[in-house]
Amino acid sequence: MGLIGVNAVLHDKWLELDPRCNIQRNMLKASKKRLNENASMGEAIHRPSIVHFTGPPKPWQFHDNHRYKHLYYE
């Protein structure tokens, strides 16, 4: 079944994931003010469940300084 078929079948059968399941590099640079306004995002950044290593550089590259690079190796 293609993506359109899956979307049609599941259009009203989904749950929103906790923000901790979608932490990406660009979110780590959010301002403190913005994080204070969105407490769940601040918590997600400090205690992520799933970290997506989006964009360059990648955690397996020596020069990457991603905050959660150590998790990639775990």
Side-chain angles (χ1 to χ4, degrees):
M1 180 182 302
L3 184 57
I4 293 173
V6 170
N7 287 342
V9 171
L10 300 177
H11 77 281
D12 63 347
K13 297 176 179 79
W14 62 277
L15 297 173
E16 185 172 344
L17 292 175
D18 185 296
R20 294 181 310 135
C21 297
N22 191 30
I23 296 303
Q24 301 170 36
R25 182 181 297 269
N26 63 325
M27 295 173 176
L28 299 175
K29 296 178 182 176
S31 70
K32 288 186 179 194
K33 178 183 177 197
R34 186 171 152 215
L35 293 178
N36 288 337
E37 292 171 356
N38 187 341
S40 64
M41 184 56 67
E43 173 68 14
I45 287 172
H46 294 293
R47 296 186 57 224
S49 295
I50 298 173
V51 177
H52 300 278
F53 293 100
T54 56
K58 298 298 184 188
W60 56 84
Q61 295 172 321
F62 178 76
H63 63 279
D64 183 28
N65 62 354
H66 194 287
R67 181 185 305 183
Y68 294 113
K69 179 177 184 167
H70 67 283
L71 296 176
Y72 172 78
Y73 292 99
E74 289 181 20

